[in-house]
Amino acid sequence: RRLGFDEVIYGASKSVTLLLDILKEYTDKKENVLVTKLQEDKAKVLLETYKASFYDAESGIFILTELETSAEGSPKVGIVSAGSSDIGVANEAFYTLEYMGVKSRVIHDVGVAGLHRLLDKIEVLKTFDILIIVAGFEGALPTVVGGLLPQPIIAVPTSVGYGTAKGGETALHAMLSSCANGITVVNIDNGYGAAMSAFRMVKLLERK
Amino acid sequence: RRLGFDEVIYGASKSVTLLLDILKEYTDKKENVLVTKLQEDKAKVLLETYKASFYDAESGIFILTELETSAEGSPKVGIVSAGSSDIGVANEAFYTLEYMGVKSRVIHDVGVAGLHRLLDKIEVLKTFDILIIVAGFEGALPTVVGGLLPQPIIAVPTSVGYGTAKGGETALHAMLSSCANGITVVNIDNGYGAAMSAFRMVKLLERK
Amino acid sequence: RRLGFDEVIYGASKSVTLLLDILKEYTDKKENVLVTKLQEDKAKVLLETYKASFYDAESGIFILTELETSAEGSPKVGIVSAGSSDIGVANEAFYTLEYMGVKSRVIHDVGVAGLHRLLDKIEVLKTFDILIIVAGFEGALPTVVGGLLPQPIIAVPTSVGYGTAKGGETALHAMLSSCANGITVVNIDNGYGAAMSAFRMVKLLERK
Amino acid sequence: RRLGFDEVIYGASKSVTLLLDILKEYTDKKENVLVTKLQEDKAKVLLETYKASFYDAESGIFILTELETSAEGSPKVGIVSAGSSDIGVANEAFYTLEYMGVKSRVIHDVGVAGLHRLLDKIEVLKTFDILIIVAGFEGALPTVVGGLLPQPIIAVPTSVGYGTAKGGETALHAMLSSCANGITVVNIDNGYGAAMSAFRMVKLLERK
Amino acid sequence: RRLGFDEVIYGASKSVTLLLDILKEYTDKKENVLVTKLQEDKAKVLLETYKASFYDAESGIFILTELETSAEGSPKVGIVSAGSSDIGVANEAFYTLEYMGVKSRVIHDVGVAGLHRLLDKIEVLKTFDILIIVAGFEGALPTVVGGLLPQPIIAVPTSVGYGTAKGGETALHAMLSSCANGITVVNIDNGYGAAMSAFRMVKLLERK
Amino acid sequence: RRLGFDEVIYGASKSVTLLLDILKEYTDKKENVLVTKLQEDKAKVLLETYKASFYDAESGIFILTELETSAEGSPKVGIVSAGSSDIGVANEAFYTLEYMGVKSRVIHDVGVAGLHRLLDKIEVLKTFDILIIVAGFEGALPTVVGGLLPQPIIAVPTSVGYGTAKGGETALHAMLSSCANGITVVNIDNGYGAAMSAFRMVKLLERK
Amino acid sequence: RRLGFDEVIYGASKSVTLLLDILKEYTDKKENVLVTKLQEDKAKVLLETYKASFYDAESGIFILTELETSAEGSPKVGIVSAGSSDIGVANEAFYTLEYMGVKSRVIHDVGVAGLHRLLDKIEVLKTFDILIIVAGFEGALPTVVGGLLPQPIIAVPTSVGYGTAKGGETALHAMLSSCANGITVVNIDNGYGAAMSAFRMVKLLERK
Amino acid sequence: RRLGFDEVIYGASKSVTLLLDILKEYTDKKENVLVTKLQEDKAKVLLETYKASFYDAESGIFILTELETSAEGSPKVGIVSAGSSDIGVANEAFYTLEYMGVKSRVIHDVGVAGLHRLLDKIEVLKTFDILIIVAGFEGALPTVVGGLLPQPIIAVPTSVGYGTAKGGETALHAMLSSCANGITVVNIDNGYGAAMSAFRMVKLLERK
Ligand SMILES: Nc1ncnc2c1ncn2[C@@H]1O[C@H](COP(=O)(O)O)[C@@H](O)[C@H]1O
Ligand SMILES: Nc1ncnc2c1ncn2[C@@H]1O[C@H](COP(=O)(O)O)[C@@H](O)[C@H]1O
Ligand SMILES: Nc1ncnc2c1ncn2[C@@H]1O[C@H](COP(=O)(O)O)[C@@H](O)[C@H]1O
Ligand SMILES: Nc1ncnc2c1ncn2[C@@H]1O[C@H](COP(=O)(O)O)[C@@H](O)[C@H]1O
Ligand SMILES: [Mg+2]
Ligand SMILES: [Mg+2]
Ligand SMILES: [Mg+2]
Ligand SMILES: [Mg+2]
Ligand SMILES: [Mg+2]
Ligand SMILES: [Mg+2]
Ligand SMILES: [Mg+2]
Ligand SMILES: [Mg+2]
């Protein structure tokens, strides 16, 4: 189980040939590695060569050697999504945390346009050390959660939406401009980065 | 008391000389006229010539002949602001409705980062036919209100905020991308336009 | 026939698997549901499972159980399109209103570059309580209509056009910056939102 | 009376010292010269040195030696403004044409939100060879005129407006995306450029 | 041979079904019609039904009934392209002028990075009444031509280029910001609009 | 000494009158309050009325009742600035943390263009629980620090720079696009938000 | 071996037919030619006709007649890439220099998030006359290199990244806003332009 | 006379107090220092304390101890400006090179709209090792020069212009998108950066 940071490959703009070369290096070193944002057609080719690998099509997460056991204990990180369309980004955060050995839990479809859906979940949300809040369209969910709960909040804008949602820019800007206190933000669709930020906090807690 | 639409002057980019010429025409015709977005220094000059005029410095609203009585009855339009910095835009809507003969009421500082402030006001908000929701920064208020209340909602983004708030663009885009149903939007800082839209609805109700 | 707001699914960024899961929930509850912006290839799969469903390829509207009777009485909402390329967005508004039980009528190809086409339609337009005006390219139609008619006007910019039309941004900004009074605007291509806004007004009229 | 093109100075970003140097060169050569977009405080200094000069504060046009007689005959170019706030840009076109020896006429405040104002002017507009149409906000006027009249049309977007008017960008993009046929466009607030384009056409007519 | 303006169809965002309906109307009326920006796959279907039609794949121009004779006399309009990649837009202008009965000539690949290519063509360019200048990338060609020649110049930015060329925006903005006098501009890739603007000038010359 | 979040006033767009009203409420309640982004001229007026207040001109931080003692113990939060021009934003974070009772330390002028300046400071940086990294221009500092150190990192882009620095947008986008793992970001110039995010983490550590 | 500049074809937006025509001209003249940004499907067709041609799929570089010998001597230009995803752009620079007769060397994957990877390479980098630095995402590499080494540095932003990386715009703006001294920049993904700039410097060195 | 890079202060966003502190450090170390983009009012205060300092108001360049002798020999760098409004940026490059001990020469007002002005200067331009080309508005000058001359070219876009010139963005994008080969670009108004890039080349030449 790895604790360091840097053996992560950005899969989206690498050719299959290049990816096979890189994975070979890891196999030779007998190390595991995480690949992010891997497209399905490329994943299929890699899975043919590496039968022990794991791939999640919703998020594009690929892990060279599937993790044997999932992280244990009560979940430290709560991953909250505003709509069911945000599932891919929530999964990216979830599997990255798994890979880093941190237990988390995903809670779906807690949009603010139906406030009761959020209010119903407040007690559960209080049990996590850290919250990752995933939202597209107008990205209002972190603002409302941030006004209700005291934990560190990492907001992840998603590219879900159309027109003025601008591929996630509006959610990004709304989260950064939030009136709620102390919300931090990562790149659009960057579930991986949110997980790594949570990982930094988890490690800080462990060091104390 | 006027009911038509078009005798309204955009004051921001006209010189004092031009404005004096235009006001003279209305005085000659013995008609009242509304001027919007008038800067304070220019207003001072006009007020010297036209002693019976009204000017509100927060909103920049100028009325050639101050209205004698305010609109009567229970308020039909609720104007809700997210923060006290939005007062100018809320006032622009309020005075425009007054000028058009429609009674409204302003409810300030109902931000979503402190949800209780909104929930405390829900019963009052239910009493209005039409809601004008004014918000800057991330502009999340109309989304939350839209999920709670069934009336027509006119959202007004304001230029309050900095950095990624982009002079109101983020609130505008967030309101347009809202997951809440059937929210309509007017230009940034356009309290006047929101009032005129409400006026169109009030007239429709009167015709029925 | 439903009157509430929230059982509407955004279809564009959900996988077929996820959509089938969601539709199953509604079938189990014996409730109908509206899906918006559903792509044709995904619709085909859903239609194989749900034979009683309705799908309109121009607008991407999918209704789980096709409506038996269309809304009755004289149409309350007029949906006006500037060009025949705007048909998809006009249809999205039309079918949403049908689903909400509100009768409307679509009037096509009333562009302002040939003013007579609009002037010929003015008498018909006067008969509606509410106008939804759909336009791409420079989006000038709501401005001209707004100067001629007193009803509530909901402007819908479309992504029809190229270059400086910027996928609907120019029409959006033009409508928001309109010199005509009291025009409100929804997101680019958001026929659904325009319909829901009209629905809020129709309900207000019914409550009075 | 000059016919060539290039002795025109862009005044906005030159220091008074630099401008005085440049004007001295022209005085020495005994030539006249046009300066555009000159700020009022800088103009005052130049006017003290050059008593025979002309300056129009609305447009920022400065002419080293005031023209003795204005251009003669019936006006060839009609300059139409949508609102009275557009006066500066209309004047820039007018004085540039005067300087180039071309007679023109300005017709103010012909907005499309009050269509009758335009329809009342159609007969006059037919009398010009070339039309320069100046508009801010949503910039819809050239589209409507272009659908009604057959002359060459040069559209000039102005920076009048706020919020989504984006300092003239929206009017610019709307004019460029116009559904009306064969409208050409110049830079925001570029009355000078519109006049020079009209001048090129006038010269072509003279050559024939 | 048609002289009026408005029977032109924007083909890019219409379905084949809709296009077939529209063409049928024109066939029934025994009128010819021009379609712009028609994609190749859709054109193929239309050509199967309408064997007498004309289609140019580079420009996407479709003409319902192929023109029998091309326009006669010496060419009045010179269409100059900066690079051979701009051929589609140049052709759009050319065929539109043909359709309107105006003879023109295309001169390719006259970029400014190799100035001699332009200087070699100056004598030919002098022979046209009107110049349409088509350029992508940085769009500098109209500026250089505008400094050398006195005719009316219609600049057409194209979407050729990558990165900072921004799909034609940079060429558009460069042409609008040109230091050369009196250049007018149309939308990105709008060869059709440039041709119609030239047509307005040609008609003005004929009326004189 | 306060621990909750919400008694913070955004000073930039409130009038002095409004601010005096708000401060009066706090004085009446005998509570302290923090005001952010307060302009110097407005601060002067408030300081005349409230002699016991504190104001820092570089950051615009105003505290109604100056804190008597500063936070004690070894600093938990390191605030690192890339250039001395970033002092205002660093101070905003520092004073906010002071107000919240959290000790921090500012380390100035650790730019990456002179890498030794950073490498010299690495040992000190290791001593903090949490790092706030403040940078303008290209905003590269958080990336380099993030590759060297394991703590939670809150990156704050500043509006320092010109041209392509775009008022802080470039630093913002660079920080969000960072290749370094797990960096989170707040709004441009938002030293306050960074401090509140650190405060959430400090509270989490205290709860454990 | 060629030394002049202009026989280079931009392949991306030309049709195969047009490209075959152009290549034919060069074959007829018995000259070699370089084509840039050629898509793989189009390259396949050209390679069928021109068996002696060279094509690199990563970069899209096509050379009509494959170079017989590669450039000799110690490499003058070092091409440094930040991530292995940047290989295409690095190759474009490499093959262009080969074509121009300049020896260069590519050093891959020297990102700044793992600073040691760069520091390990410093001695090698010192051996080159000129450095071309290729980076996507936040584009921080040229800033760090520029602070460590004195040679001319040509920075090439790439379109690698997602969300706020904005197709290379963020790297471009970060490089242009760099705090490091005297870094120059070329267009996004413009390996060709960087090579030609290096070529200009190499020629200058040869002339001395 | 200094040869290293880093003792340069960005003056624009530092307070006078901070600047005085920094200058004191240099005086104490008996070192000279260059300050860029210093506003005139702040410069006046510094000049009162440091009588031996040099300040150029056009460019905002401040040198702590005025250089005694200017650089000798024939100028190595030619600084070419497109318009006389670009003088400030040209001067910034000139004084930076002086400070670095490199002789250069400024050639003003060589715009491409009057091509002869450029062609008249070609012989002079050939005499420089390196060319810095400064241009605002559409920024076409480097493209034309780049097609005529073989030296390294550093293009500097300036913020001179209005509307679509977008504060220098259009010139920047045009220069980066240039069809001319091997032109490199620095930030808008960055005369300093262009000079430092030229300095890197001059040092390379000296090392050979
Ligand atoms: N989805 C992602 N978002 C942001 N950064 C990533 C992502 N995946 C990998 N990275 C980082 O990008 C770098 C990988 O670059 P590369 O060498 O091109 O694979 C590593 O430093 C990773 O930590
Ligand atoms: N076309 C649409 N435009 C805007 N909002 C929509 C659209 N379709 C559905 N919605 C809203 O978006 C939410 C659907 O989110 P989801 O849970 O992802 O299906 C619901 O609240 C709908 O009211
Ligand atoms: N208002 C204006 N808009 C656009 N171009 C202008 C304007 N005024 C002058 N010019 C042109 O800009 C150039 C002036 O540049 P300069 O040498 O800086 O005065 C000349 O070529 C003029 O033709
Ligand atoms: N390529 C084009 N660019 C701009 N406008 C066009 C183009 N093609 C057709 N039009 C205009 O757009 C309108 C066509 O609208 P539609 O009814 O959707 O076909 C007509 O008024 C045409 O004059
Ligand atoms: Mg949902
Ligand atoms: Mg408040
Ligand atoms: Mg039509
Ligand atoms: Mg008016
Ligand atoms: Mg060519
Ligand atoms: Mg420093
Ligand atoms: Mg890597
Ligand atoms: Mg000049």
Side-chain angles (χ1 to χ4, degrees), chain D residues 5-6 8-11 14 36-37 92 190 192, chain E residues 178-181, chain H residues 82-85 109 113 117 137 162:
Chain D
F5 290 154
D6 63 32
V8 173
I9 307 296
Y10 176 63
K14 294 196 174 68
T36 64
K37 308 242 177 261
E92 188 178 294
N190 193 5
Y192 160 68
Chain E
S178 174
C179 284
N181 291 303
Chain H
S84 45
S85 301
D109 213 15
R117 288 189 294 169
F137 284 97
Y162 62 93

Side-chain angles (χ1 to χ4, degrees), chain A residues 5-11 13-14 22 34-37 92 187 189-193 196, chain F residues 176-181, chain G residues 82-86 109 113-114 117 137 160 162:
Chain A
F5 288 154
D6 62 30
E7 309 305 333
V8 174
I9 307 296
Y10 176 63
S13 46
K14 293 194 175 69
I22 293 174
L34 182 73
V35 182
T36 63
K37 307 243 178 261
E92 188 178 293
N187 195 3
D189 290 335
N190 193 4
Y192 160 69
M196 293 309 294
Chain F
L176 287 163
S177 303
S178 174
C179 283
N181 291 302
Chain G
S84 44
S85 302
D86 301 319
D109 213 15
R117 288 190 293 170
F137 284 97
V160 174
Y162 61 95

Side-chain angles (χ1 to χ4, degrees), chain C residues 82-84 109 117:
Chain C
S84 45
D109 212 16
R117 289 188 295 168

Side-chain angles (χ1 to χ4, degrees), chain A residues 82-84 109 117, chain C residues 8-9 14:
Chain A
S84 45
D109 212 15
R117 289 188 295 170
Chain C
V8 174
I9 306 297
K14 294 195 175 67

Side-chain angles (χ1 to χ4, degrees), chain D residues 150-152 154 184 197 201 204-205, chain E residues 129-130 152-154 184 196-207:
Chain D
Q151 295 104 312
I154 303 158
T184 59
S197 167
M201 295 181 206
L204 174 63
L205 285 168
Chain E
D129 285 349
I130 299 153
I153 292 177
I154 304 158
T184 59
M196 293 309 293
S197 166
F199 177 73
R200 285 177 181 262
M201 295 181 205
V202 167
K203 288 288 122 179
L204 174 62
L205 284 168
E206 286 176 14
R207 282 197 298 274

Side-chain angles (χ1 to χ4, degrees), chain F residues 1-16:
Chain F
R1 192 150 300 246
R2 297 190 51 263
L3 299 180
F5 289 155
D6 62 31
E7 309 304 336
V8 173
I9 307 296
Y10 176 64
S13 48
K14 294 195 174 68
S15 66
V16 166

Side-chain angles (χ1 to χ4, degrees), chain G:
Chain G
R1 191 150 299 248
R2 297 188 52 262
L3 300 181
F5 289 155
D6 62 31
E7 308 305 334
V8 173
I9 307 295
Y10 175 62
S13 47
K14 293 195 174 70
S15 65
V16 166
T17 326
L18 183 52
L19 286 165
L20 285 171
D21 285 0
I22 294 174
L23 293 184
K24 176 118 206 330
E25 283 177 43
Y26 284 90
T27 316
D28 291 354
K29 292 193 284 192
K30 297 195 192 304
E31 284 184 19
N32 200 1
V33 73
L34 181 74
V35 182
T36 63
K37 308 246 178 256
L38 188 68
Q39 296 89 342
E40 205 158 355
D41 55 331
K42 286 154 64 177
K44 276 186 187 146
V45 186
L46 302 194
L47 286 166
E48 276 162 31
T49 311
Y50 294 98
K51 311 284 190 202
S53 295
F54 167 85
Y55 179 67
D56 172 58
E58 298 279 3
S59 61
I61 282 285
F62 178 98
I63 302 177
L64 180 51
T65 311
E66 188 161 11
L67 303 174
E68 271 162 59
T69 55
S70 53
E72 270 160 47
S74 63
K76 292 197 177 57
V77 182
I79 303 169
V80 186
S81 90
S84 44
S85 302
D86 301 319
I87 188 172
V89 178
N91 280 8
E92 188 177 293
F94 177 82
Y95 288 115
T96 300
L97 284 167
E98 277 287 303
Y99 182 77
M100 303 306 286
V102 175
K103 193 170 182 77
S104 70
R105 183 172 149 202
V106 180
I107 296 174
H108 275 300
D109 213 15
V110 185
V112 289
L115 205 57
H116 59 92
R117 288 190 293 170
L118 171 59
L119 299 178
D120 290 356
K121 294 282 158 55
I122 285 295
E123 287 312 309
V124 185
L125 298 187
K126 280 186 183 158
T127 65
F128 302 109
D129 285 350
I130 299 152
L131 294 171
I132 291 174
I133 315 280
V134 182
F137 284 97
E138 83 282 47
L141 185 57
T143 294
V144 179
V145 173
L148 295 168
L149 292 171
Q151 295 104 312
I153 291 177
I154 303 157
V156 192
T158 73
S159 54
V160 174
Y162 61 95
T164 53
K166 290 177 159 260
E169 265 191 42
T170 294
L172 172 73
H173 291 153
M175 290 167 177
L176 287 163
S177 304
S178 174
C179 285
N181 292 304
I183 289 170
T184 58
V185 185
V186 295
N187 195 3
I188 297 164
D189 291 335
N190 192 5
Y192 161 69
M196 294 309 293
S197 167
F199 177 73
R200 285 178 181 262
M201 295 181 205
V202 167
K203 288 288 122 180
L204 174 62
L205 284 168
E206 285 177 15
R207 282 197 297 274
K208 292 283 141 173

